[in-house]
Amino acid sequence: MRGRFLTALVLRIDRDSPDDAFYAQLDEQLRTTPQFFAGAPMVLDLANAPGLREGDRIGDLLAHLRNRELRVFGVQNAHGMDDAMLDRHGLIPVTTGRDAPLPRNAAAASGAAPAADVPPPVQNKVIHAPVRSGQRVVAEHGDLTIIGSVASGAELVASGNIHVYGTLRGRAMAGCHGDEGAHIFCQNLSAELVAIAGLYQTSETLDAAALQRCTHIYLKDEKLCMEVIA
Protein backbone atom coordinates (compact mmCIF):
# COMPACT_ATOMS: atom_id res chain seq x y z
CA MET A 1 0.00 0.00 0.00
CA ARG A 2 1.39 3.39 -0.95
CA GLY A 3 -0.08 6.78 -0.10
CA ARG A 4 -0.34 9.47 -2.76
CA PHE A 5 -0.83 13.23 -2.47
CA LEU A 6 -4.01 14.45 -4.16
CA THR A 7 -5.06 18.01 -4.95
CA ALA A 8 -8.70 18.81 -5.51
CA LEU A 9 -10.73 21.93 -6.17
CA VAL A 10 -12.98 23.11 -3.37
CA LEU A 11 -16.20 24.85 -4.37
CA ARG A 12 -17.58 26.84 -1.46
CA ILE A 13 -21.36 27.15 -1.52
CA ASP A 14 -22.51 30.37 0.16
CA ARG A 15 -26.27 29.88 -0.01
CA ASP A 16 -28.71 27.16 0.97
CA SER A 17 -30.57 27.33 -2.35
CA PRO A 18 -28.29 28.03 -5.34
CA ASP A 19 -30.30 30.02 -7.87
CA ASP A 20 -30.02 31.09 -11.51
CA ALA A 21 -27.58 33.86 -10.58
CA PHE A 22 -25.28 31.32 -8.89
CA TYR A 23 -25.25 29.04 -11.94
CA ALA A 24 -24.78 32.00 -14.31
CA GLN A 25 -21.71 33.08 -12.33
CA LEU A 26 -20.41 29.51 -12.34
CA ASP A 27 -20.91 29.21 -16.11
CA GLU A 28 -19.00 32.45 -16.64
CA GLN A 29 -16.10 31.10 -14.57
CA LEU A 30 -16.11 27.86 -16.57
CA ARG A 31 -15.97 29.83 -19.83
CA THR A 32 -13.14 32.03 -18.56
CA THR A 33 -10.89 29.26 -17.22
CA PRO A 34 -11.99 25.97 -18.79
CA GLN A 35 -8.55 24.35 -18.51
CA PHE A 36 -8.54 24.81 -14.74
CA PHE A 37 -11.68 22.70 -14.22
CA ALA A 38 -11.19 20.09 -16.96
CA GLY A 39 -10.99 16.65 -15.33
CA ALA A 40 -10.26 18.09 -11.87
CA PRO A 41 -11.71 16.32 -8.79
CA MET A 42 -13.96 18.61 -6.77
CA VAL A 43 -15.10 18.85 -3.15
CA LEU A 44 -18.11 20.89 -1.99
CA ASP A 45 -17.62 23.05 1.11
CA LEU A 46 -20.96 23.40 2.90
CA ALA A 47 -19.79 25.48 5.88
CA ASN A 48 -21.90 28.45 4.73
CA ALA A 49 -24.83 26.39 3.43
CA PRO A 50 -26.14 24.33 6.37
CA GLY A 51 -29.51 23.93 4.65
CA LEU A 52 -27.92 21.74 1.98
CA ARG A 53 -26.99 19.21 4.67
CA GLU A 54 -30.66 18.45 5.37
CA GLY A 55 -32.68 15.72 3.70
CA ASP A 56 -31.74 15.28 0.07
CA ARG A 57 -31.48 18.96 -0.85
CA ILE A 58 -27.97 18.52 -2.24
CA GLY A 59 -29.23 16.29 -5.07
CA ASP A 60 -30.37 19.15 -7.31
CA LEU A 61 -27.05 20.98 -6.86
CA LEU A 62 -25.08 17.84 -7.76
CA ALA A 63 -27.18 17.32 -10.90
CA HIS A 64 -26.41 20.87 -12.08
CA LEU A 65 -22.70 20.52 -11.36
CA ARG A 66 -22.30 17.11 -12.96
CA ASN A 67 -24.24 18.24 -16.04
CA ARG A 68 -21.42 20.77 -16.39
CA GLU A 69 -18.92 17.86 -16.24
CA LEU A 70 -17.64 18.88 -12.80
CA ARG A 71 -16.36 15.78 -11.03
CA VAL A 72 -17.73 16.18 -7.51
CA PHE A 73 -16.66 13.31 -5.26
CA GLY A 74 -16.77 14.67 -1.71
CA VAL A 75 -18.09 17.19 0.81
CA GLN A 76 -16.47 18.98 3.70
CA ASN A 77 -17.99 20.83 6.66
CA ALA A 78 -20.98 18.55 6.18
CA HIS A 79 -21.66 17.57 9.78
CA GLY A 80 -24.92 15.73 10.28
CA MET A 81 -25.39 14.58 6.69
CA ASP A 82 -26.87 11.11 6.36
CA ASP A 83 -24.31 8.46 5.36
CA ALA A 84 -26.81 6.56 3.23
CA MET A 85 -27.67 9.72 1.31
CA LEU A 86 -23.98 10.48 0.71
CA ASP A 87 -23.48 6.93 -0.59
CA ARG A 88 -26.45 7.30 -2.90
CA HIS A 89 -24.91 10.38 -4.48
CA GLY A 90 -21.40 8.92 -4.66
CA LEU A 91 -19.98 11.34 -2.08
CA ILE A 92 -17.52 10.91 0.75
CA PRO A 93 -16.89 13.26 3.71
CA VAL A 94 -13.49 14.93 3.43
CA THR A 95 -11.66 16.27 6.46
CA THR A 96 -8.71 18.66 6.43
CA GLY A 97 -5.96 19.59 8.86
CA ARG A 98 -3.63 17.60 11.06
CA ASP A 99 -4.84 14.93 13.45
CA ALA A 100 -5.12 16.12 17.03
CA PRO A 101 -2.92 14.46 19.67
CA LEU A 102 -4.41 11.77 21.86
CA PRO A 103 -5.81 13.08 25.16
CA ARG A 104 -3.65 12.04 28.10
CA ASN A 105 -6.28 9.73 29.58
CA ALA A 106 -6.90 8.04 26.22
CA ALA A 107 -3.19 7.57 25.68
CA ALA A 108 -2.79 6.06 29.13
CA ALA A 109 -5.71 3.70 28.56
CA SER A 110 -4.24 2.49 25.29
CA GLY A 111 -0.77 2.04 26.77
CA ALA A 112 0.66 4.52 24.26
CA ALA A 113 2.88 7.45 25.07
CA PRO A 114 1.13 10.83 24.82
CA ALA A 115 1.40 12.15 21.29
CA ALA A 116 2.97 15.53 20.69
CA ASP A 117 1.40 17.88 18.15
CA VAL A 118 4.62 18.19 16.20
CA PRO A 119 4.52 19.10 12.49
CA PRO A 120 6.31 16.76 10.10
CA PRO A 121 9.95 17.62 9.38
CA VAL A 122 10.60 20.01 6.53
CA GLN A 123 11.58 18.16 3.37
CA ASN A 124 12.56 20.62 0.65
CA LYS A 125 12.85 19.29 -2.88
CA VAL A 126 15.23 20.48 -5.61
CA ILE A 127 14.84 19.32 -9.23
CA HIS A 128 17.94 19.83 -11.44
CA ALA A 129 16.10 19.45 -14.74
CA PRO A 130 13.26 21.02 -16.74
CA VAL A 131 9.74 19.79 -15.92
CA ARG A 132 8.05 18.45 -19.05
CA SER A 133 4.40 18.70 -20.06
CA GLY A 134 2.29 16.16 -18.16
CA GLN A 135 4.74 15.88 -15.26
CA ARG A 136 3.63 16.65 -11.70
CA VAL A 137 6.19 17.48 -9.02
CA VAL A 138 5.12 17.64 -5.36
CA ALA A 139 6.94 18.85 -2.24
CA GLU A 140 4.38 17.91 0.40
CA HIS A 141 6.36 19.11 3.43
CA GLY A 142 8.55 21.96 2.23
CA ASP A 143 9.75 24.20 -0.58
CA LEU A 144 10.08 23.16 -4.20
CA THR A 145 12.92 24.48 -6.38
CA ILE A 146 13.13 23.83 -10.11
CA ILE A 147 16.47 24.57 -11.78
CA GLY A 148 15.13 24.75 -15.29
CA SER A 149 11.93 25.67 -17.08
CA VAL A 150 8.41 24.32 -16.48
CA ALA A 151 6.53 23.41 -19.65
CA SER A 152 2.88 24.08 -20.41
CA GLY A 153 0.81 21.22 -19.01
CA ALA A 154 3.23 20.55 -16.13
CA GLU A 155 2.24 21.05 -12.49
CA LEU A 156 4.18 22.10 -9.38
CA VAL A 157 2.71 21.66 -5.89
CA ALA A 158 4.38 22.59 -2.59
CA SER A 159 3.33 23.10 1.01
CA GLY A 160 5.91 25.90 1.16
CA ASN A 161 7.44 28.19 -1.45
CA ILE A 162 8.05 27.48 -5.13
CA HIS A 163 11.18 28.71 -6.93
CA VAL A 164 11.58 28.33 -10.70
CA TYR A 165 14.97 29.25 -12.18
CA GLY A 166 13.63 29.39 -15.72
CA THR A 167 10.36 30.02 -17.51
CA LEU A 168 7.17 29.03 -15.69
CA ARG A 169 4.59 28.02 -18.31
CA GLY A 170 2.59 25.36 -16.42
CA ARG A 171 0.78 25.47 -13.07
CA ALA A 172 2.38 26.40 -9.74
CA MET A 173 0.49 25.93 -6.46
CA ALA A 174 2.33 26.99 -3.30
CA GLY A 175 1.07 26.76 0.28
CA CYS A 176 -1.08 23.77 -0.70
CA HIS A 177 -1.90 22.97 2.95
CA GLY A 178 -3.21 26.48 3.55
CA ASP A 179 0.00 28.41 4.26
CA GLU A 180 -0.91 31.97 3.30
CA GLY A 181 2.71 33.05 3.85
CA ALA A 182 3.99 30.94 0.95
CA HIS A 183 5.56 32.61 -2.10
CA ILE A 184 6.23 31.83 -5.76
CA PHE A 185 9.35 33.09 -7.54
CA CYS A 186 10.14 32.61 -11.22
CA GLN A 187 12.57 34.10 -13.73
CA ASN A 188 9.94 34.32 -16.47
CA LEU A 189 6.21 34.33 -15.73
CA SER A 190 4.16 32.75 -18.52
CA ALA A 191 2.06 30.46 -16.33
CA GLU A 192 -1.24 28.76 -17.02
CA LEU A 193 -2.12 29.10 -13.35
CA VAL A 194 -0.54 30.30 -10.10
CA ALA A 195 -2.05 29.71 -6.66
CA ILE A 196 -1.19 30.31 -3.02
CA ALA A 197 -3.22 28.64 -0.27
CA GLY A 198 -5.96 27.89 -2.79
CA LEU A 199 -6.38 31.42 -4.17
CA TYR A 200 -5.48 31.36 -7.84
CA GLN A 201 -5.19 33.32 -11.05
CA THR A 202 -5.01 31.90 -14.53
CA SER A 203 -3.21 33.07 -17.65
CA GLU A 204 -6.21 35.20 -18.60
CA THR A 205 -6.07 37.23 -15.37
CA LEU A 206 -2.34 37.50 -14.62
CA ASP A 207 -0.94 41.00 -14.17
CA ALA A 208 0.12 42.07 -17.67
CA ALA A 209 3.06 44.04 -16.26
CA ALA A 210 4.52 40.83 -14.79
CA LEU A 211 4.23 38.62 -17.87
CA GLN A 212 7.55 37.28 -19.17
CA ARG A 213 9.33 39.04 -16.33
CA CYS A 214 11.18 37.86 -13.24
CA THR A 215 8.33 37.84 -10.73
CA HIS A 216 7.57 37.39 -7.04
CA ILE A 217 4.01 36.25 -6.27
CA TYR A 218 2.55 36.46 -2.76
CA LEU A 219 -0.75 36.74 -0.92
CA LYS A 220 -1.93 39.94 0.74
CA ASP A 221 -5.42 40.61 2.10
CA GLU A 222 -6.72 37.47 0.32
CA LYS A 223 -5.47 38.75 -3.03
CA LEU A 224 -2.61 37.47 -5.17
CA CYS A 225 0.00 40.18 -5.71
CA MET A 226 2.68 40.11 -8.42
CA GLU A 227 5.88 42.06 -8.00
CA VAL A 228 8.35 42.38 -10.85
CA ILE A 229 11.85 41.77 -9.49
CA ALA A 230 13.84 42.75 -12.58
Side-chain angles (χ1 to χ4, degrees):
M1 183 179 293
R2 173 177 291 179
R4 291 293 187 185
F5 181 75
L6 170 69
T7 55
L9 298 176
V10 176
L11 179 62
R12 185 178 65 192
I13 309 299
D14 287 332
R15 60 192 71 180
D16 289 335
S17 300
D19 53 16
D20 291 342
F22 170 86
Y23 293 115
Q25 185 177 8
L26 178 61
D27 288 339
E28 178 60 26
Q29 185 67 55
L30 292 173
R31 282 192 295 270
T32 303
T33 56
Q35 75 281 1
F36 185 56
F37 295 91
M42 178 174 286
V43 174
L44 300 181
D45 185 344
L46 303 182
N48 296 335
L52 286 174
R53 306 176 205 163
E54 301 171 358
D56 201 6
R57 294 183 59 184
I58 200 171
D60 183 64
L61 171 63
L62 289 171
H64 278 281
L65 296 178
R66 287 170 175 167
N67 283 341
R68 290 165 170 79
E69 299 184 357
L70 296 176
R71 300 182 177 182
V72 182
F73 75 93
V75 289
Q76 66 181 29
N77 296 313
H79 315 293
M81 293 191 75
D82 181 64
D83 289 340
M85 186 270 293
L86 291 176
D87 288 342
R88 188 163 59 251
H89 289 297
L91 298 173
I92 61 172
V94 177
T95 58
T96 57
R98 291 200 306 268
D99 291 335
L102 280 172
R104 291 182 181 274
N105 56 352
S110 66
D117 188 15
V118 178
V122 173
Q123 297 177 340
N124 298 325
K125 181 177 290 189
V126 179
I127 304 298
H128 294 266
V131 182
R132 299 186 300 274
S133 179
Q135 283 188 296
R136 187 168 187 265
V137 184
V138 178
E140 189 173 352
H141 299 299
D143 293 355
L144 175 59
T145 300
I146 307 296
I147 303 176
S149 295
V150 179
S152 177
E155 186 171 274
L156 309 179
V157 182
S159 64
N161 306 312
I162 293 178
H163 305 259
V164 178
Y165 293 97
T167 299
L168 172 60
R169 294 190 179 91
R171 302 180 179 186
M173 293 174 278
C176 65
H177 294 320
D179 181 5
E180 296 183 357
H183 300 255
I184 298 173
F185 302 88
C186 63
Q187 287 188 322
N188 186 316
L189 178 64
S190 301
E192 296 171 339
L193 177 144
V194 292
I196 295 177
L199 274 74
Y200 71 91
Q201 288 189 21
T202 63
S203 57
E204 295 87 351
T205 57
L206 294 177
D207 186 348
L211 292 177
Q212 299 181 347
R213 304 286 298 278
C214 185
T215 304
H216 167 212
I217 302 170
Y218 59 96
L219 200 60
K220 182 178 180 181
D221 298 328
E222 296 192 346
K223 180 181 179 181
L224 281 181
C225 300
M226 300 182 189
E227 175 186 26
V228 175
I229 299 173

